[in-house]
Amino acid sequence: MNSKLNGKKIAVIGLGISNIAVVSYLLKHDLKHLAVFDTRYNPPHLEELPAGLDINLGPLDAKVLKEFDMIVISPGLPLYHDAFKAIVNDVEIIGDVELFARELNENKSKAKIVGITGSNGKSTVTALTGHMLSQAGLNVAVGANFGNAVFDILDDSIDVYVLELSSFELETTSSLHIDAGVILNVTEDHLDRYDGSIELYRQAKHRIFANTKNIIVNREDAGTYPKNAKYCASFGLDDKDYGRKVVGGVTYLTINGEEFIDTRELTIYGTHNELNVLAAMALCDCLGIDRQVQKSAVKSFIGLSHRCQLVRVLDGISFYNDSKATNVASAEAAIVGLSGKHKKGIILLAGGLGKGQDFTPLKRYLGREVKFMYCFGQDAKQLIDLNPEYTKGVLNMRQALNEAFMMASEDMAVLLSPACASFDQFKGYEERGRVFANMVNHLDSK
C-alpha cells in the first residue's frame, strides 16, 4: 500500500466503476477521513459502498471540498467544473490512473506498462496487444478505459499492464511511467468537453508521452507526433517501418518492407484494422515479443463486439455492426475499410448525438462508396443536409435497417456506423449494437 496516503483526508467524487474500485483501495489505508461524493441523487453502484462511509449526494460545494488533502475525480467530471476551479490551487485533484501509478511507483513495481490512446481503435489495439502478450506466456492485465478499472487489476503477479487511456483520464495523470506508448490518431471527438478546440483535445492526448520510454506514432496523422520527444517507431499505409504493401493483388502487413502476414489471414476487417494490427505489433516489439508468437496471436484474434463486426450474410448482403463508431473519423474508417471488400457499395445507417462534430467529411463518400445513407436520431438532419439526393431521414434504427435491406443487393454491405453517440435513443453504444444485431438476425430472406 502507498504509505504516503496515511493520515490524509481524501474525497472520491463520482460513483462510476473506476471510483468504486478506488474506494475499496483507499479503505485499506490508515486515512484520517474518506468521503464519497456524487452530483447525482441516485448514482449507480451506491449499494456497493460499505455501511458507515461518509456519502454526499447532490451539487458539489467548493467550501466542503477545500477541507480535503486530495480529491480523486471520475474521468467523466471535467476539471473546469466550478467547484474544482475554486479549489484547484488548494487541493490536489487527480484521477484513478494517477493514484494507480503512484501505487506502482511507491512499491517499485517491476511490471511493464503499455499505454494506448487515440480517438479511434484504442480498444481493439488494447485487446489485441493484451492477447499477443498473453500468447507469449506473460501474465497480462488489461484495463483503465477498456476492460477493468485499474484498481481491480492491481496485482503483484502481473508482468505487463496494458492500459487504454482516454483523454479524460490523461488530464489528471502525470506519474505513469510507460514502457511503450502510442497515440493511434487524433480526430474530432469530445469537442463539447474542450471548448470546441481539437488542439486542446490533442494536448490532453499527448500527456501520454510525458513519461514514455518508447513512443510510437501514426505516419498517417501528424497530430500523433510528439513535439518535444523522439519516437522509436511508426506505422502507416506505405511499406516503411511498420506498414503494408500490395503484391499481385494481395495485401501484406510489413516490417521495414518485409512481408509479415497476409491480411487474408486476419479475422478483423478493413484498412483501419490493419493499422491497428501494425500498432500492436510495434508495441509488442518494444517489449521483445517473438514475432512468430505475434503472428499466431494476430491470426487468432477475433476482434471486439460493435467494432465493424460482421453480424450476418443474408441474400448475399453483408451486415456489419460498427456501433462503437461514435464520431465521424471512426465511421470514415469503417467506410474506407469495407469499400474494397464491397465494390457494389455500402448502405450506411447513421445518426444520434453529434457532440458538436462537423459531419462534412462524410459528404465525399455519398453517391460513391456509400450508395445511400439512412439517418435517424437527434442530429439526423445535419447528416441529411450533407446531400439530400443520397440520404433519407427515418424514425429509428429499425426503419433504417428495413429500408436498407430492401434497397441492398447481393455483394453490398449494410453498415451501422453511426458517427454519433447513442444516448438520445439508447443507454450506450453496446445496447445500440445489440439491438441492431438482434434485428439483423431476425430478418427474413427477400
Side-chain angles (χ1 to χ4, degrees):
M1 294 294 104
N2 191 340
S3 60
K4 293 179 181 179
L5 298 177
N6 294 337
K8 289 186 177 292
K9 295 177 64 177
I10 299 179
V12 176
I13 304 181
L15 283 177
I17 293 174
S18 62
N19 272 355
I20 291 295
V22 167
V23 170
S24 297
Y25 165 75
L26 291 174
L27 285 170
K28 299 174 184 177
H29 292 76
D30 184 20
L31 302 181
K32 185 175 182 181
H33 184 59
L34 174 62
V36 175
F37 295 78
D38 199 290
T39 57
R40 299 163 291 185
Y41 287 104
N42 188 29
H45 311 295
L46 190 62
E47 72 283 355
E48 298 178 36
L49 296 176
L53 193 63
D54 182 4
I55 300 173
N56 306 266
L57 304 177
L60 300 175
D61 186 338
K63 291 182 180 178
V64 173
L65 297 180
K66 193 174 181 180
E67 299 302 313
F68 290 88
D69 300 306
M70 175 187 291
I71 293 174
V72 183
I73 66 171
S74 165
L77 285 169
L79 288 170
Y80 57 73
H81 189 290
D82 288 342
F84 302 148
K85 288 195 295 185
I87 63 171
V88 69
N89 294 321
D90 304 299
V91 183
E92 185 178 31
I93 302 174
I94 65 172
D96 69 316
V97 174
E98 173 62 15
L99 192 61
F100 172 80
R102 294 182 185 187
E103 169 69 20
L104 295 181
N105 295 340
E106 168 83 3
N107 291 287
K108 296 181 173 55
S109 171
K110 295 181 179 179
K112 301 288 186 181
I113 297 178
V114 174
I116 298 158
T117 193
S119 303
N120 302 301
K122 54 186 179 291
S123 293
T124 295
V125 175
T126 300
L128 174 56
T129 303
H131 177 63
M132 294 165 78
L133 295 172
S134 294
Q135 293 298 299
L138 297 171
N139 190 7
V140 180
V142 175
N145 193 56
F146 169 77
N148 299 301
V150 287
F151 280 106
D152 283 338
I153 61 174
L154 180 65
D155 193 298
D156 291 340
S157 68
I158 298 299
D159 297 313
V160 187
Y161 291 102
V162 182
L163 306 181
E164 177 188 311
L165 300 167
S166 70
S167 60
F168 299 171
E169 289 169 321
L170 289 166
E171 287 174 14
T172 54
T173 301
S174 58
S175 303
L176 187 65
H177 291 272
I178 296 173
D179 293 277
V182 62
I183 300 178
L184 299 172
N185 42 62
V186 182
T187 59
E188 284 194 0
D189 201 5
H190 303 300
L191 297 191
D192 47 348
R193 170 117 165 193
Y194 295 101
D195 296 327
S197 169
I198 193 169
E199 181 55 34
L200 291 176
Y201 174 54
R202 182 181 292 114
Q203 289 174 15
K205 289 288 188 191
H206 274 263
R207 290 177 63 89
I208 194 174
F209 291 153
N211 298 298
T212 296
K213 182 178 178 181
N214 295 292
I215 292 173
I216 298 163
V217 301
N218 180 353
R219 291 195 300 279
E220 309 301 317
D221 188 343
T224 66
Y225 284 64
K227 291 183 178 179
N228 300 309
K230 293 182 179 180
Y231 63 89
C232 71
S234 68
F235 63 95
L237 297 176
D238 57 26
D239 63 354
K240 312 299 181 190
D241 208 356
Y242 295 85
R244 60 197 288 279
K245 67 181 179 182
V246 179
V247 180
V250 177
T251 301
Y252 294 90
L253 301 187
T254 61
I255 302 174
N256 295 320
E258 293 187 11
E259 297 170 10
F260 178 74
I261 190 170
D262 181 338
T263 59
R264 293 174 297 183
E265 298 181 80
L266 305 179
T267 56
I268 51 178
Y269 302 98
T271 307
H272 60 301
N273 274 321
E274 292 168 9
L275 290 172
N276 290 337
V277 172
L278 291 169
M281 287 162 49
L283 289 167
C284 286
D285 270 356
C286 289
L287 270 62
I289 305 303
D290 181 85
R291 285 183 176 165
Q292 290 306 309
V293 172
Q294 292 186 43
K295 182 182 291 188
S296 176
V298 167
K299 290 179 181 179
S300 64
F301 181 70
I302 61 173
L304 301 175
S305 299
H306 316 300
R307 293 158 175 86
C308 219
Q309 181 184 36
L310 179 63
V311 178
R312 185 186 186 190
V313 178
L314 178 63
D315 293 345
I317 302 163
S318 298
F319 294 83
Y320 293 91
N321 169 16
D322 193 37
S323 182
K324 183 61 170 66
T326 58
N327 57 51
V328 170
S330 187
E332 281 192 274
I335 293 166
V336 172
L338 293 178
S339 61
K341 185 178 179 66
H342 297 282
K343 302 292 186 182
K344 289 188 177 180
I346 296 166
I347 299 178
L348 181 65
L349 315 185
L353 287 172
K355 300 180 290 183
Q357 296 176 96
D358 176 11
F359 290 113
T360 304
L362 293 176
K363 187 174 182 178
R364 74 188 74 165
Y365 304 104
L366 296 176
R368 300 177 59 192
E369 294 91 347
V370 175
K371 299 305 180 185
F372 204 80
M373 177 168 66
Y374 288 98
C375 311
F376 57 90
Q378 181 171 307
D379 290 329
K381 189 176 185 305
Q382 294 181 47
L383 290 162
I384 295 166
D385 288 345
L386 293 175
N387 191 331
E389 182 180 356
Y390 298 104
T391 60
K392 179 183 177 181
V394 292
L395 291 175
N396 50 42
M397 187 170 67
R398 180 181 295 277
Q399 184 183 352
L401 172 61
N402 289 336
E403 295 200 19
F405 180 38
M406 296 310 297
M407 175 182 283
S409 58
E410 189 174 356
D411 294 330
M412 292 185 72
V414 173
L415 169 65
L416 172 68
S417 193
C420 293
S422 58
F423 299 114
D424 57 335
Q425 295 183 326
F426 301 93
K427 293 179 181 178
Y429 76 83
E430 297 99 333
E431 183 188 54
R432 179 171 61 187
R434 285 194 299 269
V435 170
F436 174 76
N438 184 60
M439 291 191 301
V440 167
N441 285 320
H442 281 84
L443 289 174
D444 293 323
S445 170
K446 290 190 285 189

